[in-house]
Amino acid sequence: MAKVDMSLTLNAPAEKIWDVIGGFNALARWHPAVQRSEETAEGGKTRRKLSLAGGGEIIEELERRDDKTHAYSYRIVSGPLPVSGYRSELRVADQGGGRSTVHWSSTFEPSGAEADAIAAVRGVYQAGFDSLKKQFGG
């Protein structure tokens, strides 16, 4: 099992950042690789279909969301990343003084070389963090 765990400290309170990234269907608003996100509810499960800027789709399913702790977890149902069994958590922790840390982590089984799978996931996270840094400063 491979793991990716990245974090970024931003110059904004947790609530302000959570207002931007906390919605399960909000990824298209702040991640440059996501052109469109469509949320659906089927059989008591919430899913999002992400249309990627370079083409392709990722289907993800929400596992847990907690606005009090500014966190949600999800899993990939299908998509082009070289992984299987992908589970992830996105959360925001207040650091005080108007600063907060965004944590994005995942576990998965690589489909192919582990280093390539880890690099692909890290690239996705870094692109999102770069976008947040432009918006909030870090």
Side-chain angles (χ1 to χ4, degrees), residues 17-26 29-30 65 67 70-72 90 92:
I17 298 167
W18 190 246
D19 284 346
V20 172
I21 72 172
F24 186 57
N25 199 38
R29 291 193 335 224
W30 63 273
R65 181 168 179 222
D67 287 326
H70 304 115
Y72 72 78
L90 182 66
V92 182

Side-chain angles (χ1 to χ4, degrees), residues 59-92:
I59 306 294
E60 298 175 335
E61 187 173 276
L62 181 65
E63 293 187 322
R64 180 186 60 81
R65 181 168 179 222
D66 186 339
D67 287 326
K68 288 182 182 179
T69 62
H70 304 115
Y72 72 78
S73 60
Y74 64 97
R75 68 183 189 92
I76 291 179
V77 176
S78 65
L81 286 174
V83 300
S84 63
Y86 176 99
R87 287 196 149 44
S88 182
E89 181 181 67
L90 182 66
R91 62 186 161 92
V92 182

Side-chain angles (χ1 to χ4, degrees), residues 44-135:
K45 298 183 185 229
T46 301
R47 287 188 171 181
R48 64 184 176 195
K49 177 171 75 171
L50 306 175
S51 299
L52 304 177
E57 290 181 349
I58 300 176
I59 306 294
E60 298 175 335
E61 187 173 276
L62 181 65
E63 293 187 322
R64 180 186 60 81
R65 181 168 179 222
D66 186 339
D67 287 326
K68 288 182 182 179
T69 62
H70 304 115
Y72 72 78
S73 60
Y74 64 97
R75 68 183 189 92
I76 291 179
V77 176
S78 65
L81 286 174
V83 300
S84 63
Y86 176 99
R87 287 196 149 44
S88 182
E89 181 181 67
L90 182 66
R91 62 186 161 92
V92 182
D94 193 66
Q95 301 299 320
R99 293 175 56 84
S100 300
T101 302
V102 178
H103 299 272
W104 202 350
S105 61
S106 58
T107 59
F108 51 87
E109 292 295 334
S111 301
E114 183 172 308
D116 292 343
I118 288 172
V121 172
R122 288 184 66 81
V124 169
Y125 293 5
Q126 190 62 56
F129 283 169
D130 290 347
S131 177
L132 290 173
K133 190 183 279 189
K134 286 179 189 172
Q135 186 171 350

